[in-house]
Amino acid sequence: MNAALRRETSTGLQVLDLYCGAGGLSLGFWANGFEVFGIDRNPDAVRTYATNLGRAECAELTNESDFPDADIVIAGPPCQPWSRAGSGLGEQDKRDGLALVLRAVRQIQPAAFVIENVPDLARQGRRSHLDRIKKELIELGYAIAEHMLNAADYGVPQNRHRVFLTGLLDGSHLALPNPWRRHVAAKEAIPRTCRRTMAEARELSDGMRAYIERYEKASKCRTPRDLHLDRPARTLTVRNLSGATGDMMRLCLPDGRRRMLTVEEAARLQSFPDWYQIHGSRRSRFEQIGNAVPPLLARSVASSMRRHIESSVGRAAESPGASPAPSSSAASATMRANRRRDTKPELLLRSALHRRGWRFRVDFPVVTQHRLVRPDIVFTNRRVAVFVDGCFWHSCPTHGQQPRANASYWESKLRKNADRDKADTELLEQSGWTVVRVWEHDEVIEAVSAVEAVL
């Protein structure tokens, strides 16, 4: 799990995640080298997202919302309107976000989109709303594919069926992700804790056990709903993680006692990597985990998207918001090799600063008034932010070059990069930070001198 969710080389493509929550869907795209930006109304979830993935905004998404540009839009709108365990009001539920996602796609016109939701949305007799949304997306020019995926088929130690709606502007359909060769059992995800009492896990009382027995008898449950360690877990939800309900997620210990799961166990069963920091109260963290798209499932979908983009089959360069087809396979390979972080100039500068006794943070998220900014090197105590700018991507006046192939696309993209650099500098300075920008072609000793002059 931890290895599969390591960051790949950057694609340079921007992904906007609506209803991003804690970032499960975005994490899958981030691991595939996409640059991600999330929007959600939950402050704890936005803090979790920003800590781990970068840019995030805490905002209520409404019919008046204005959306930033993006190459790809992804979304996991609230499932309660469609879930059998929810209100069942469907499109009449004010939490239904499908229409808003459609509005975002219509405004941004991204090259692709991915929408995730519960299976009930696509079931016969209840899918009229989904069909209307699909019809409008097709009218916008998207080729639509609909897949019902089980997270257990993609390395997640949990049976979790979800419908994925994907669309591409180039006229082709996104291929079904390649499944893993085998399912992962729950005990493989939580081997060190599954048979032990845990101080942070609530032990079931006699009253709770009696309630569970009545629930299972009334629901004619043939198999106890304990966590069976030899198979993937059943679906994790907010209700069965944080609530003392009859179908709560619980472990039966060797001595017969039962306990609820810890936050860390729930995160692993949802396939969040161990380094992923989830903020908030215990209940809030359970809610963020239960609402999330399993990152390993998201990674499989994102891998399919990346493979499609890199193949550039039938890509229309004039498609609004889309990246044009590479001018050659060599150019495509060069672009794929670009790193978002840990470039050679960054590593040289960091090593030189470290040898001179300086200690700092790398790719550290700095919270400004309007959004998160991630400088390459951050001296937190001295509030100094250092950027090592690449000559091509940041339009160096000495070595920056405008590509001849797909000139209009690159002119717009490089101009946006320069505008973002300027905005990041202004936001940091307004927040009391000192900003140092050096070019990748600068001699290391000159870059060190520039940083030390400020420090």
Side-chain angles (χ1 to χ4, degrees):
M1 179 180 66
N2 292 323
L5 289 164
R6 290 193 183 114
R7 172 84 166 166
E8 293 186 11
T9 55
S10 176
T11 64
L13 297 178
Q14 299 292 325
V15 172
L16 172 64
D17 188 350
L18 304 175
Y19 304 102
C20 67
L25 187 54
S26 278
L27 176 55
F29 278 80
W30 175 90
N32 271 277
F34 294 92
E35 309 302 324
V36 296
F37 172 55
I39 303 176
D40 198 273
R41 61 180 290 186
N42 185 321
D44 286 341
V46 169
R47 184 185 172 203
T48 295
Y49 190 106
T51 298
N52 297 283
L53 300 174
R55 299 170 58 213
E57 179 181 345
C58 188
E60 183 83 45
L61 290 168
T62 69
N63 288 330
E64 286 72 45
S65 296
D66 190 33
F67 306 101
D69 287 337
D71 298 297
I72 300 171
V73 170
I74 61 176
C79 64
Q80 291 88 345
W82 307 100
S83 173
R84 280 175 289 183
S87 61
L89 296 176
E91 60 189 294
Q92 304 303 321
D93 194 313
K94 64 181 182 180
R95 293 171 295 182
D96 172 40
L98 284 175
L100 187 137
V101 176
L102 171 64
R103 178 176 168 271
V105 172
R106 183 182 290 114
Q107 175 194 313
I108 300 170
Q109 291 189 302
F113 66 80
V114 176
I115 302 172
E116 175 268 357
N117 216 287
V118 292
D120 294 280
L121 174 66
R123 295 192 192 282
Q124 293 299 327
R126 300 194 64 185
R127 60 172 296 128
S128 58
H129 184 44
L130 176 62
D131 288 336
R132 284 196 297 272
I133 295 292
K134 289 174 66 174
K135 182 175 181 293
E136 294 195 48
L137 289 166
I138 291 171
E139 290 173 352
L140 291 175
Y142 290 92
I144 306 299
E146 181 181 322
H147 297 303
M148 189 70 70
L149 304 180
N150 182 8
D153 293 332
Y154 299 94
V156 182
Q158 175 194 168
N159 280 301
R160 187 186 190 94
H161 292 86
R162 290 295 184 266
V163 62
F164 281 79
L165 196 69
T166 63
L168 296 167
L169 264 183
D170 63 10
S172 56
H173 295 91
L174 190 67
L176 188 72
N178 297 321
W180 287 35
R181 287 178 293 179
R182 68 176 183 88
H183 285 178
V184 178
K187 64 183 176 184
E188 295 182 66
I190 53 173
R192 293 187 298 273
T193 61
C194 62
R195 300 187 185 280
R196 297 195 288 117
T197 58
M198 301 292 290
E200 62 270 33
R202 181 180 181 183
E203 187 174 322
L204 273 60
S205 65
D206 292 339
M208 292 170 70
R209 287 195 294 272
Y211 176 74
I212 288 172
E213 290 176 5
R214 291 195 300 270
Y215 170 86
E216 292 183 343
K217 183 178 180 180
S219 61
K220 300 179 181 179
C221 179
R222 297 180 179 179
T223 304
R225 307 210 77 190
D226 299 322
L227 186 66
H228 297 279
L229 298 175
D230 60 345
R231 68 189 76 164
R234 54 191 171 90
T235 305
L236 273 67
T237 68
V238 172
R239 184 172 181 268
N240 66 25
L241 281 177
S242 61
T245 62
D247 67 338
M248 74 173 71
M249 298 293 293
R250 71 263 181 175
L251 275 165
C252 184
L253 303 177
D255 61 5
R257 289 181 296 167
R258 288 170 168 169
R259 67 166 174 83
M260 298 177 72
L261 300 183
T262 66
V263 171
E264 290 73 20
E265 288 170 331
R268 276 182 156 234
L269 291 173
Q270 192 73 302
S271 80
F272 278 100
D274 293 335
W275 55 263
Y276 207 84
Q277 300 179 50
I278 302 176
H279 297 289
S281 66
R282 183 173 181 272
R283 180 178 180 82
S284 174
R285 286 181 287 163
F286 272 136
E287 289 178 350
Q288 292 174 61
I289 293 168
N291 282 327
V293 177
L296 282 181
L297 173 58
R299 179 188 178 277
S300 295
V301 176
S303 294
S304 183
M305 181 71 75
R306 177 162 182 161
R307 284 194 300 271
H308 179 88
I309 290 172
E310 290 181 345
S311 71
S312 300
V313 176
R315 289 296 295 269
E318 66 275 9
S319 295
S323 299
S327 56
S328 68
S329 59
S332 178
T334 299
M335 291 305 171
R336 290 199 305 270
N338 280 288
R339 292 171 173 263
R340 186 188 71 84
R341 54 168 287 182
D342 296 338
T343 62
K344 184 177 180 180
E346 285 179 39
L347 295 174
L348 289 173
L349 177 57
R350 280 153 43 183
S351 296
L353 289 168
H354 197 275
R355 285 196 301 270
R356 295 174 72 90
W358 296 105
R359 299 297 178 262
F360 44 81
R361 305 292 293 273
V362 175
D363 196 38
F364 183 77
V366 178
V367 179
T368 67
Q369 183 177 359
H370 297 288
R371 59 180 170 82
L372 212 70
V373 179
R374 299 185 81 102
D376 299 314
I377 301 171
V378 180
F379 298 85
T380 52
N381 292 338
R382 296 169 181 262
R383 297 180 72 81
V384 172
V386 181
F387 295 86
V388 183
D389 293 332
C391 292
F392 171 75
W393 293 105
H394 300 267
S395 301
C396 166
T398 305
H399 303 104
Q401 293 182 350
Q402 181 74 37
R404 295 178 183 176
N406 304 315
S408 59
Y409 168 81
W410 285 111
E411 180 183 3
S412 173
K413 187 171 186 65
L414 295 178
R415 184 172 63 251
K416 286 181 180 179
N417 287 352
D419 291 342
R420 186 175 66 248
D421 290 345
K422 181 180 179 182
D424 286 349
T425 298
E426 291 176 352
L427 286 173
L428 287 167
E429 290 177 344
Q430 291 169 6
S431 300
W433 287 76
T434 300
V435 177
V436 180
R437 286 188 176 273
V438 298
W439 291 106
E440 66 173 342
H441 68 260
D442 289 340
E443 293 291 338
V444 175
I445 188 62
E446 295 177 359
V448 169
S449 297
V451 174
E452 287 189 324
V454 171
L455 293 172

